Structure formats: structure tokens, C-alpha cells
Amino acid sequence: MSELETHGTVVIGAGPGGYVAAIRAAELGQQVTVIEQSDTLGGICLNVGCVPSKALISAGERLRQTKDSSVYGITAGDVSFDFTSLQDWKQHKVVDRMTRGVAGLLKKHGVEVVRGSATLVSDTELHVMPAGPQQFMSVSDPRRIAFTDLIIATGSRPVEIPGFMFGGRVLDSTGALNLPEVPSEFVVIGGGYIGTELAGAYADFGSHVTILEGTEQILPNFEPDLVKVVEKRLRAKGVDILTGVRARRADQHDDGVHVSYEKKGGQEQTIAADYCMITVGRTPNSDALGLEATSVEVDKHGLIKVDERGFTGVDHIYAVGDVTMGPALAHMAFMEGKTAAGAIAGRPDANEYFSVPAVCFADPEIATVGMTAAQAEQNGLTVTTSKFPFAGNARAVSLDEAEGFVRLVSTIDTGTLVGAQIVGPGASDLISELSVAVNCQLNVEDVALTIHPHPTLGEPIQEAADIALGYPTHL
């Protein structure tokens, strides 16, 4: 057994929460070590999640627009498409570039990166077993590390369901992002964020996609009128959406897979596909950390219990990101990582935001922040909603992307913004303005009196605020 090493702040996991926590901790003067078991930095998000999925989605949209630009008087003729080249671009020009950037940032801030698998053996010590090539390891033997402070940022992994063991033609989201070919028939089990996004992307590439969703609508965390706009576009692409069904099993064969599902009433049907993807949720990576050897508490789902600083209640141990309770969002992990690093440095940092924006990169995009009208009323607020359609926005019309709307939720007595929902072009970018407004508790007059440039996709926000005040202009 190697000698016990003494380190300052140790971060387990180099995903969005971990690497950002490490950078902030180093900026605040701490000696920082990051332990990462995979051969690349950046976690699921950069390597096999948020970033590569958006690359495929963008490529699919570009292909669809290239094939059909007749509305602009453009005829492209025969359009060729090389999926292998696309996958190469996604990996080497997007993912590798971003992960190299993370490595460069950690090096710039003097963060030591140890490649290996960390296991806690007490509230003050962990062991690191080497994993794979040793390009990040200073020694090849197992290491014993005593830490002054610890931030756990180990993230999450896809949930497996009975009858659909990952492997072969039964894929998790990672497998779906790295397919060697565009499937002719593609089944997506689970119509949440990931399932809906990738279903739309592969439909753009030419796949016939079937979504099997157990609830009564895809994207069950969003309001029905938002989802209806996305469903309309998916069906126009030829996607079959089956809701209220239960996936039963996958039977693989040499060149495909048969997916059986049960409809209401118990009737079972089968779909023949090239591949099927399972996207029914994620589970925290807390089970192999050795937490049972510590005083850190986890709930029945394996989520680490923390306070508003990320503090676990155990001296000098913090946790951030998907391994804790709350929305499993990369941008949430970014903030939590910064907060934990600040708390270790003695700063009064805390995660005291009012609301976190959520985005689904569907076609068109959906983005929300704060409360819906129903949620506001459940919290004892008397609210009103004001909605402006993209069909009344010159920029959206000129882009031929005029479906969807912006909706504001504000209190009747003071006009305070407590929520907002967008479905339409550029929703993922537009929601940031409304996130500021909601979290700063601005009112609709503040937004209405803020001049938005013309013609832009941001104008519907100002227009919706005008409607809330009772003075609609372009409606």
C-alpha cells in the first residue's frame, strides 16, 4: 500500500459540476486535485450528452433545411449526406475541442488531474485505483489520499429497464449518439428530453422513428400546449408518437430488433426496428463511492442529501450536480460547483435562486423558467398569463419559423413575473432574459419598458409584457 498523501480540496468527477468547482476553488486560492475515472474530461455532458447531441440536432436541422428551401425559392437538387463524416466532425471538431478546452483550463489554474476510480474509506480519506492509460497519473500504484475538503461530483447514468438490457441493438443515449449508420427504423422508448430531441434529429436524417411513452404525452414535464407544437412538427417529419403504452421487451437478431409494447387494455404489439434507444431516466453515481464508510447520508434513490451550499452535513464534504437532489441539469451543476467551492473558501455563497431555466432542444425548442399558472395558484398566488405568438413576429416569419409563442405568468396585484414559457425559434437563448427577470422579481412593466431591437426573436417577450399591461400593439 502506498504512503498516505495529503491534499487540499479534492473533487471526484470532472463533469460540469466537478471541473467548474475545481476551477473556482483554484481561483479562490485552494490547492485542488480532480479525480476522473474516464479517459476524457468534461463528463457525460461534453462527451456523450448535451454537447454531441446538440451537434447532431444542428446537423439534422441543416440537412432538412438544405433539402427543402423551396419557400425561399431555393432548389438544392440532389443532396448527398455522409453520416460517417458527420460523426467524425461531431467527435473531433466539437467534442474533442471542448474536452481539450477543459483540460487546458484545469492546467492553467494549476489543478492536478488524477485518472482513476475513487473510493471513500472514511470521512477524511479515499483510495484511487488507476484506470486505463496513465497519461494523467503521476504514479501507477494505487494512491491513498487524505483530503482537507471534498466535493463529490460523480454525476449520473442511464436507467436500464426490465426486458431491455443495454447492448447490441438496444442502446442508451450514448450508443444512439455514436451509431455507425442512420437506422431506417428507430424506436425510442421514453419521450422525455433526450428521447424527443434525438427522435427529431434522426427523423431529419431520414429515419422512420416511433416514440413509445408511458404517460399521456411526450415531454410530460411541460405544459400540453407547449408540447402540442413540438408534436405537430414531429408528426410532419413522419414520427409516430404512441403514448400511454408500456414497453415490454426487446428481442434482438442479426440485423435488427423486435420491440414489443403493451397498449391500454393489455393488447401487445411488436415493431421491427434496426435499433431501439432507452431514455427513461437517470440514476445517480453514488453506489460505488464507498459512502457507507462515511457519515454522508443518501436517500432511497441514492441521492446525496445536501443543504443550499452543497454541504452534506459531514465536516468538509460537499456534493453537487446529478448526484444530489434537484434538477439534473448541467447549468445547475455549474452553479452548484461554484457555490461549494465558495463555501469551502468561507464565502457566504448559497444556491438561493428562485428558479432554474429548463430547455428541451426539440423542434421547435421549448424553454421555461419559474412557475406555470397552475403552480403559482397552488402556491397561493393570484396570477394572470399573457401570450404573444411568433406568427406576429417579423423575424420569425422571415425565418419561416413562425410556430409557437411566448407566455408570461405574472401576479395580478403587482405584475411581478413568477414564470415564463417559450416554444418556438431560439427559445433556448431567449429564456435567459426571462430567467433574469423572474429571479430578480421584475414586473411586466420593467420588461415592457425595455426596448427590444427590431426585427428580432426577442420582441415577443416585450409584446407579451405589453399584453399583460393591457396595451397590446401587434396582436
Side-chain angles (χ1 to χ4, degrees):
M1 180 67 69
S2 59
E3 292 185 5
L4 183 64
E5 306 172 24
T6 301
H7 289 240
T9 299
V10 173
V11 182
I12 306 177
Y19 84 75
V20 169
I23 290 170
R24 179 56 57 88
E27 289 173 334
L28 294 173
Q30 299 163 39
Q31 179 232 343
V32 186
T33 302
V34 168
I35 303 170
E36 171 57 47
Q37 67 178 0
S38 71
D39 57 1
T40 55
L41 305 176
I44 294 295
C45 179
L46 256 62
N47 289 278
V48 291
C50 318
V51 173
S53 67
K54 304 314 168 284
L56 288 189
I57 290 166
S58 297
E61 291 174 349
R62 186 76 61 89
L63 177 63
R64 173 175 53 82
Q65 292 166 356
T66 302
K67 286 181 175 179
D68 184 13
S69 296
S70 58
V71 68
Y72 302 113
I74 299 172
T75 303
D78 293 332
V79 178
S80 62
F81 171 53
D82 185 341
F83 192 63
T84 300
S85 296
L86 169 59
Q87 289 286 29
D88 183 72
W89 167 78
K90 180 205 73 179
Q91 184 61 45
H92 299 297
K93 300 297 185 181
V94 180
V95 173
D96 290 352
R97 176 177 176 176
M98 299 304 294
T99 56
R100 285 195 304 268
V102 171
L105 287 170
L106 293 175
K107 182 179 180 180
K108 172 187 173 183
H109 288 87
V111 176
E112 178 188 7
V113 179
V114 173
R115 186 166 180 268
S117 178
T119 303
L120 287 156
V121 295
S122 73
D123 288 342
T124 58
E125 183 181 338
L126 58 81
H127 292 174
V128 181
M129 294 298 295
Q134 303 303 313
Q135 63 264 40
F136 295 128
M137 294 283 292
S138 59
V139 295
S140 59
D141 294 330
R143 299 172 65 168
R144 297 172 59 216
I145 294 177
F147 50 82
T148 303
D149 295 281
L150 178 70
I151 300 175
I152 300 170
T154 48
S156 62
R157 62 185 184 274
V159 169
E160 216 166 32
I161 58 176
F164 294 88
M165 299 293 288
F166 295 139
R169 293 179 177 272
V170 178
L171 313 170
D172 59 9
S173 55
T174 299
L177 287 169
N178 292 291
L179 281 173
E181 60 193 2
V182 175
S184 296
E185 294 287 338
F186 190 41
V187 174
V188 175
I189 298 174
Y193 289 77
I194 300 171
T196 298
E197 289 177 0
L198 292 183
Y202 274 102
D204 285 338
F205 295 142
S207 298
H208 175 254
V209 182
T210 302
I211 300 176
L212 302 179
E213 167 58 38
T215 67
E216 294 307 311
Q217 70 168 41
I218 60 171
L219 300 172
N221 293 327
F222 292 107
E223 292 175 287
D225 59 345
L226 298 168
V227 177
K228 185 178 179 180
V229 181
V230 173
E231 287 183 336
K232 179 181 177 182
R233 187 74 64 84
L234 284 171
R235 289 195 168 97
K237 296 179 181 184
V239 176
D240 291 329
I241 302 171
L242 306 180
T243 59
V245 301
R246 181 180 179 185
R248 302 296 295 178
R249 66 186 176 277
D251 299 312
Q252 298 194 53
H253 49 88
D254 289 343
D255 56 355
V257 58
H258 289 122
V259 179
S260 298
Y261 66 95
E262 188 178 290
K263 301 176 68 175
K264 291 180 180 178
Q267 182 183 1
E268 190 169 294
Q269 294 191 2
T270 300
I271 302 173
D274 299 294
Y275 297 93
C276 74
M277 176 180 69
I278 316 301
T279 57
V280 296
R282 301 184 66 84
T283 188
N285 291 324
S286 61
D287 48 339
L289 278 174
L291 291 176
E292 63 278 3
T294 73
S295 304
V296 174
E297 293 185 46
V298 299
D299 68 10
K300 63 181 181 179
H301 303 293
L303 296 166
I304 297 174
K305 298 179 180 181
V306 296
D307 67 7
E308 69 279 1
R309 300 168 297 162
F311 182 53
T312 64
V314 179
D315 281 348
H316 310 296
I317 299 181
Y318 295 75
V320 302
D322 289 9
V323 79
T324 67
M325 293 170 281
L329 300 168
H331 47 280
M332 181 95 163
F334 288 152
M335 183 59 70
E336 290 174 344
K338 295 175 184 177
T339 297
I344 290 171
R347 293 162 56 98
D349 296 358
N351 297 310
E352 294 179 334
Y353 35 73
F354 177 73
S355 184
V356 179
V359 177
C360 177
F361 290 83
D363 180 19
E365 296 173 347
I366 297 178
T368 66
V369 68
M371 294 182 281
T372 65
Q375 290 168 339
E377 289 169 0
Q378 290 168 5
N379 281 275
L381 299 175
T382 304
V383 297
T384 186
T385 62
S386 52
K387 184 168 73 172
F388 188 86
F390 279 103
N393 173 252
R395 182 60 175 151
V397 172
S398 70
L399 291 170
D400 194 36
E401 294 285 344
E403 292 181 277
F405 55 85
V406 172
R407 177 167 55 221
L408 306 182
V409 182
S410 57
T411 59
I412 288 179
D413 54 353
T414 64
T416 301
L417 279 166
V418 296
Q421 301 88 39
I422 306 174
V423 57
S428 60
D429 295 316
L430 297 176
I431 200 63
S432 292
E433 174 186 344
L434 289 168
S435 185
V436 171
V438 169
N439 281 284
C440 291
Q441 298 183 327
L442 302 183
N443 60 41
V444 288
E445 188 174 21
D446 294 322
V447 177
L449 294 177
T450 300
I451 297 176
H452 289 61
H454 174 77
T456 65
L457 295 174
E459 289 178 280
I461 295 173
Q462 185 179 16
E463 298 274 10
D466 282 340
I467 293 170
L469 292 172
Y471 302 106
T473 303
H474 293 104
L475 190 64

Short mmCIF file of all heavy atoms in Angstrom, two decimals, residues 94-130:
data_model
loop_
_atom_site.label_atom_id
_atom_site.label_comp_id
_atom_site.label_asym_id
_atom_site.label_seq_id
_atom_site.Cartn_x
_atom_site.Cartn_y
_atom_site.Cartn_z
N VAL A 94 -15.96 19.00 -32.45
CA VAL A 94 -16.82 19.55 -31.41
C VAL A 94 -16.43 18.99 -30.04
O VAL A 94 -15.92 19.72 -29.18
CB VAL A 94 -18.31 19.26 -31.71
CG1 VAL A 94 -19.19 19.84 -30.59
CG2 VAL A 94 -18.71 19.85 -33.05
N VAL A 95 -16.63 17.68 -29.85
CA VAL A 95 -16.40 17.09 -28.53
C VAL A 95 -14.94 17.19 -28.11
O VAL A 95 -14.63 17.68 -27.01
CB VAL A 95 -16.86 15.61 -28.52
CG1 VAL A 95 -16.48 14.95 -27.19
CG2 VAL A 95 -18.38 15.54 -28.72
N ASP A 96 -14.03 16.75 -28.97
CA ASP A 96 -12.61 16.78 -28.60
C ASP A 96 -12.13 18.20 -28.34
O ASP A 96 -11.32 18.44 -27.43
CB ASP A 96 -11.76 16.13 -29.69
CG ASP A 96 -11.97 14.63 -29.79
OD1 ASP A 96 -12.65 14.06 -28.91
OD2 ASP A 96 -11.46 14.01 -30.75
N ARG A 97 -12.61 19.13 -29.13
CA ARG A 97 -12.22 20.53 -28.92
C ARG A 97 -12.66 21.02 -27.55
O ARG A 97 -11.89 21.69 -26.83
CB ARG A 97 -12.84 21.40 -30.01
CG ARG A 97 -12.58 22.88 -29.83
CD ARG A 97 -13.16 23.69 -30.99
NE ARG A 97 -13.00 25.11 -30.77
CZ ARG A 97 -13.34 26.04 -31.65
NH1 ARG A 97 -13.85 25.69 -32.83
NH2 ARG A 97 -13.16 27.32 -31.38
N MET A 98 -13.88 20.69 -27.15
CA MET A 98 -14.39 21.16 -25.87
C MET A 98 -13.68 20.48 -24.69
O MET A 98 -13.36 21.13 -23.68
CB MET A 98 -15.89 20.92 -25.78
CG MET A 98 -16.70 21.64 -26.85
SD MET A 98 -16.44 23.44 -26.88
CE MET A 98 -17.12 23.91 -25.29
N THR A 99 -13.43 19.19 -24.82
CA THR A 99 -12.75 18.49 -23.71
C THR A 99 -11.30 18.94 -23.58
O THR A 99 -10.77 19.04 -22.47
CB THR A 99 -12.81 16.96 -23.90
OG1 THR A 99 -12.25 16.61 -25.17
CG2 THR A 99 -14.25 16.47 -23.84
N ARG A 100 -10.65 19.22 -24.72
CA ARG A 100 -9.30 19.79 -24.64
C ARG A 100 -9.33 21.15 -23.95
O ARG A 100 -8.40 21.51 -23.20
CB ARG A 100 -8.69 19.94 -26.04
CG ARG A 100 -8.21 18.64 -26.67
CD ARG A 100 -7.30 18.91 -27.86
NE ARG A 100 -7.93 19.76 -28.87
CZ ARG A 100 -8.62 19.31 -29.90
NH1 ARG A 100 -8.82 18.00 -30.06
NH2 ARG A 100 -9.16 20.13 -30.78
N GLY A 101 -10.39 21.89 -24.19
CA GLY A 101 -10.53 23.19 -23.54
C GLY A 101 -10.63 23.05 -22.03
O GLY A 101 -10.02 23.83 -21.28
N VAL A 102 -11.38 22.05 -21.56
CA VAL A 102 -11.49 21.81 -20.12
C VAL A 102 -10.13 21.43 -19.54
O VAL A 102 -9.71 21.94 -18.49
CB VAL A 102 -12.52 20.71 -19.82
CG1 VAL A 102 -12.47 20.30 -18.35
CG2 VAL A 102 -13.92 21.19 -20.17
N ALA A 103 -9.42 20.55 -20.24
CA ALA A 103 -8.08 20.15 -19.78
C ALA A 103 -7.16 21.37 -19.69
O ALA A 103 -6.40 21.52 -18.72
CB ALA A 103 -7.49 19.10 -20.71
N GLY A 104 -7.23 22.26 -20.68
CA GLY A 104 -6.41 23.45 -20.68
C GLY A 104 -6.75 24.39 -19.53
O GLY A 104 -5.86 24.98 -18.91
N LEU A 105 -8.03 24.53 -19.23
CA LEU A 105 -8.45 25.40 -18.14
C LEU A 105 -7.96 24.87 -16.79
O LEU A 105 -7.49 25.64 -15.94
CB LEU A 105 -9.98 25.52 -18.13
CG LEU A 105 -10.59 26.37 -19.25
CD1 LEU A 105 -12.10 26.20 -19.27
CD2 LEU A 105 -10.23 27.84 -19.07
N LEU A 106 -8.08 23.56 -16.59
CA LEU A 106 -7.61 22.98 -15.33
C LEU A 106 -6.09 23.15 -15.19
O LEU A 106 -5.59 23.49 -14.11
CB LEU A 106 -7.99 21.50 -15.27
CG LEU A 106 -9.49 21.21 -15.16
CD1 LEU A 106 -9.75 19.70 -15.23
CD2 LEU A 106 -10.07 21.78 -13.86
N LYS A 107 -5.37 22.94 -16.29
CA LYS A 107 -3.92 23.11 -16.24
C LYS A 107 -3.55 24.56 -15.95
O LYS A 107 -2.65 24.84 -15.14
CB LYS A 107 -3.31 22.67 -17.58
CG LYS A 107 -1.79 22.78 -17.62
CD LYS A 107 -1.26 22.29 -18.97
CE LYS A 107 0.27 22.40 -19.01
NZ LYS A 107 0.81 21.92 -20.32
N LYS A 108 -4.25 25.48 -16.60
CA LYS A 108 -3.99 26.91 -16.39
C LYS A 108 -4.16 27.31 -14.93
O LYS A 108 -3.41 28.16 -14.41
CB LYS A 108 -4.94 27.73 -17.27
CG LYS A 108 -4.90 29.24 -17.00
CD LYS A 108 -5.99 29.94 -17.79
CE LYS A 108 -6.05 31.42 -17.40
NZ LYS A 108 -7.15 32.14 -18.10
N HIS A 109 -5.12 26.70 -14.25
CA HIS A 109 -5.39 27.04 -12.86
C HIS A 109 -4.61 26.17 -11.87
O HIS A 109 -4.86 26.22 -10.66
CB HIS A 109 -6.89 26.93 -12.57
CG HIS A 109 -7.69 28.03 -13.20
ND1 HIS A 109 -8.18 27.97 -14.49
CD2 HIS A 109 -8.06 29.24 -12.72
CE1 HIS A 109 -8.82 29.08 -14.77
NE2 HIS A 109 -8.78 29.87 -13.72
N GLY A 110 -3.69 25.36 -12.38
CA GLY A 110 -2.84 24.58 -11.50
C GLY A 110 -3.52 23.41 -10.83
O GLY A 110 -3.07 22.94 -9.78
N VAL A 111 -4.59 22.91 -11.44
CA VAL A 111 -5.32 21.77 -10.87
C VAL A 111 -4.65 20.47 -11.28
O VAL A 111 -4.42 20.23 -12.47
CB VAL A 111 -6.79 21.78 -11.34
CG1 VAL A 111 -7.53 20.55 -10.82
CG2 VAL A 111 -7.49 23.06 -10.88
N GLU A 112 -4.35 19.62 -10.31
CA GLU A 112 -3.81 18.30 -10.61
C GLU A 112 -4.95 17.37 -11.02
O GLU A 112 -5.98 17.30 -10.34
CB GLU A 112 -3.09 17.72 -9.39
CG GLU A 112 -2.55 16.31 -9.64
CD GLU A 112 -2.01 15.62 -8.40
OE1 GLU A 112 -2.16 16.19 -7.29
OE2 GLU A 112 -1.47 14.51 -8.53
N VAL A 113 -4.78 16.67 -12.13
CA VAL A 113 -5.79 15.72 -12.58
C VAL A 113 -5.26 14.30 -12.40
O VAL A 113 -4.23 13.94 -12.95
CB VAL A 113 -6.16 15.95 -14.06
CG1 VAL A 113 -7.20 14.92 -14.52
CG2 VAL A 113 -6.70 17.37 -14.25
N VAL A 114 -5.96 13.52 -11.61
CA VAL A 114 -5.61 12.12 -11.36
C VAL A 114 -6.63 11.24 -12.05
O VAL A 114 -7.83 11.36 -11.80
CB VAL A 114 -5.58 11.82 -9.84
CG1 VAL A 114 -5.37 10.33 -9.60
CG2 VAL A 114 -4.50 12.62 -9.15
N ARG A 115 -6.17 10.38 -12.91
CA ARG A 115 -7.10 9.48 -13.60
C ARG A 115 -7.19 8.18 -12.82
O ARG A 115 -6.20 7.49 -12.60
CB ARG A 115 -6.64 9.20 -15.02
CG ARG A 115 -7.68 8.38 -15.76
CD ARG A 115 -7.42 8.38 -17.25
NE ARG A 115 -8.43 7.59 -17.88
CZ ARG A 115 -8.31 6.28 -18.12
NH1 ARG A 115 -7.22 5.64 -17.79
NH2 ARG A 115 -9.30 5.61 -18.69
N GLY A 116 -8.41 7.86 -12.39
CA GLY A 116 -8.62 6.64 -11.63
C GLY A 116 -10.00 6.64 -10.98
O GLY A 116 -10.77 7.58 -11.12
N SER A 117 -10.28 5.57 -10.28
CA SER A 117 -11.58 5.39 -9.62
C SER A 117 -11.42 5.62 -8.12
O SER A 117 -10.62 4.94 -7.47
CB SER A 117 -12.09 3.97 -9.89
OG SER A 117 -13.31 3.76 -9.25
N ALA A 118 -12.18 6.56 -7.59
CA ALA A 118 -12.06 6.93 -6.18
C ALA A 118 -13.06 6.17 -5.31
O ALA A 118 -14.23 6.03 -5.68
CB ALA A 118 -12.27 8.43 -6.02
N THR A 119 -12.58 5.71 -4.18
CA THR A 119 -13.44 5.04 -3.19
C THR A 119 -13.15 5.64 -1.83
O THR A 119 -12.00 5.65 -1.37
CB THR A 119 -13.18 3.53 -3.14
OG1 THR A 119 -13.37 2.97 -4.44
CG2 THR A 119 -14.13 2.86 -2.15
N LEU A 120 -14.18 6.15 -1.17
CA LEU A 120 -14.02 6.71 0.17
C LEU A 120 -13.86 5.59 1.19
O LEU A 120 -14.60 4.60 1.15
CB LEU A 120 -15.22 7.58 0.52
CG LEU A 120 -15.28 8.93 -0.22
CD1 LEU A 120 -16.70 9.44 -0.30
CD2 LEU A 120 -14.36 9.93 0.46
N VAL A 121 -12.92 5.75 2.11
CA VAL A 121 -12.72 4.76 3.16
C VAL A 121 -13.00 5.35 4.54
O VAL A 121 -13.05 4.62 5.54
CB VAL A 121 -11.29 4.18 3.12
CG1 VAL A 121 -11.09 3.40 1.82
CG2 VAL A 121 -10.23 5.27 3.26
N SER A 122 -13.20 6.66 4.60
CA SER A 122 -13.58 7.33 5.85
C SER A 122 -14.04 8.73 5.49
O SER A 122 -14.10 9.10 4.31
CB SER A 122 -12.39 7.40 6.82
OG SER A 122 -11.44 8.34 6.38
N ASP A 123 -14.34 9.54 6.51
CA ASP A 123 -14.75 10.92 6.28
C ASP A 123 -13.59 11.83 5.88
O ASP A 123 -13.80 13.00 5.55
CB ASP A 123 -15.42 11.49 7.53
CG ASP A 123 -16.79 10.89 7.77
OD1 ASP A 123 -17.37 10.31 6.84
OD2 ASP A 123 -17.29 11.00 8.92
N THR A 124 -12.37 11.29 5.90
CA THR A 124 -11.20 12.13 5.61
C THR A 124 -10.22 11.51 4.62
O THR A 124 -9.21 12.12 4.29
CB THR A 124 -10.42 12.43 6.91
OG1 THR A 124 -10.03 11.19 7.52
CG2 THR A 124 -11.28 13.24 7.88
N GLU A 125 -10.52 10.29 4.14
CA GLU A 125 -9.56 9.61 3.28
C GLU A 125 -10.27 8.85 2.16
O GLU A 125 -11.36 8.33 2.35
CB GLU A 125 -8.71 8.64 4.11
CG GLU A 125 -7.62 7.92 3.31
CD GLU A 125 -6.83 6.93 4.16
OE1 GLU A 125 -6.81 7.09 5.41
OE2 GLU A 125 -6.24 5.99 3.58
N LEU A 126 -9.60 8.79 1.02
CA LEU A 126 -10.09 7.98 -0.10
C LEU A 126 -8.92 7.28 -0.77
O LEU A 126 -7.76 7.65 -0.60
CB LEU A 126 -10.85 8.85 -1.11
CG LEU A 126 -10.15 10.04 -1.77
CD1 LEU A 126 -9.27 9.62 -2.94
CD2 LEU A 126 -11.17 11.07 -2.25
N HIS A 127 -9.24 6.23 -1.51
CA HIS A 127 -8.25 5.49 -2.28
C HIS A 127 -8.57 5.65 -3.76
O HIS A 127 -9.74 5.72 -4.16
CB HIS A 127 -8.27 4.00 -1.92
CG HIS A 127 -7.79 3.72 -0.54
ND1 HIS A 127 -7.82 2.46 0.03
CD2 HIS A 127 -7.25 4.54 0.41
CE1 HIS A 127 -7.34 2.51 1.26
NE2 HIS A 127 -7.00 3.76 1.52
N VAL A 128 -7.52 5.73 -4.58
CA VAL A 128 -7.68 5.86 -6.03
C VAL A 128 -7.03 4.67 -6.70
O VAL A 128 -5.82 4.44 -6.55
CB VAL A 128 -7.06 7.16 -6.56
CG1 VAL A 128 -7.27 7.26 -8.07
CG2 VAL A 128 -7.65 8.37 -5.86
N MET A 129 -7.83 3.90 -7.42
CA MET A 129 -7.31 2.80 -8.22
C MET A 129 -7.11 3.29 -9.64
O MET A 129 -8.03 3.88 -10.24
CB MET A 129 -8.28 1.62 -8.20
CG MET A 129 -8.43 0.96 -6.85
SD MET A 129 -6.88 0.25 -6.25
CE MET A 129 -6.61 -1.03 -7.48
N PRO A 130 -5.94 3.08 -10.21
CA PRO A 130 -5.69 3.54 -11.59
C PRO A 130 -6.67 2.91 -12.57
O PRO A 130 -7.14 1.79 -12.37
CB PRO A 130 -4.26 3.07 -11.87
CG PRO A 130 -3.65 2.88 -10.51
CD PRO A 130 -4.77 2.42 -9.62
#
